[in-house]
Amino acid sequence: QVQVVESGGGLVQAGGSLRLSCAASGRIFKINDMGWYRQGPGNQRELVALISSTGDTNYADSVKGRFTISRDNAKNTVYLKMNSLKAEDTSVYYCQAHVTLPTWGHYWGQGTQVTVSS
């Protein structure tokens, strides 16, 4: 009933920028937090950035000052602007939406690949 779809991944050179987008759709009345996570080969999924419905943000130390998360509540969409990309940012990036109304649940997208060449 809830779909989460990411877009915007791709191949970029080190030092470059990318902007990821994520849209949640379906039977949604309220979304609490929306966030971006990433998972590299052989690694656990880790939090990259989180934003609350009121705009409070939280970032992993490794991306502070380089990545910016934002959201459009009217469109149930969250964005991740990634600047000064490094090879170690290479990963599959996943979006998560914490829906609280009418039903409660954490919904994940299928992931989008970001590859940074050094």
Side-chain angles (χ1 to χ4, degrees):
Q1 291 185 332
V2 174
Q3 297 81 40
V4 176
V5 179
E6 305 101 335
S7 61
L11 174 64
V12 64
Q13 288 188 332
S17 299
L18 279 177
R19 186 190 191 218
L20 305 182
S21 299
C22 168
S25 62
R27 196 160 179 261
I28 299 171
F29 294 165
K30 180 176 174 59
I31 299 178
N32 191 2
D33 295 341
M34 298 188 79
W36 289 95
Y37 296 73
R38 65 187 182 187
Q39 186 170 17
N43 296 330
Q44 290 187 330
R45 192 169 296 187
E46 62 176 2
L47 174 69
V48 176
L50 198 66
I51 186 167
S52 72
S53 58
T54 56
D56 294 327
T57 58
N58 186 30
Y59 295 92
D61 288 342
S62 59
V63 307
K64 283 180 181 176
R66 300 188 298 121
F67 291 9
T68 302
I69 189 170
S70 60
R71 68 189 279 178
D72 184 335
N73 289 333
K75 297 181 179 179
N76 291 333
T77 299
V78 64
Y79 307 95
L80 186 68
K81 182 64 187 300
M82 305 183 292
N83 296 325
S84 303
L85 282 161
K86 306 175 181 179
E88 51 263 43
D89 294 318
T90 295
S91 193
V92 178
Y93 284 71
Y94 297 90
C95 174
Q96 185 198 82
H98 178 195
V99 177
T100 55
L101 289 172
T103 58
W104 189 98
H106 289 91
Y107 296 91
W108 292 88
Q110 79 289 349
T112 185
Q113 177 70 46
V114 171
T115 303
V116 184
S117 62
S118 57

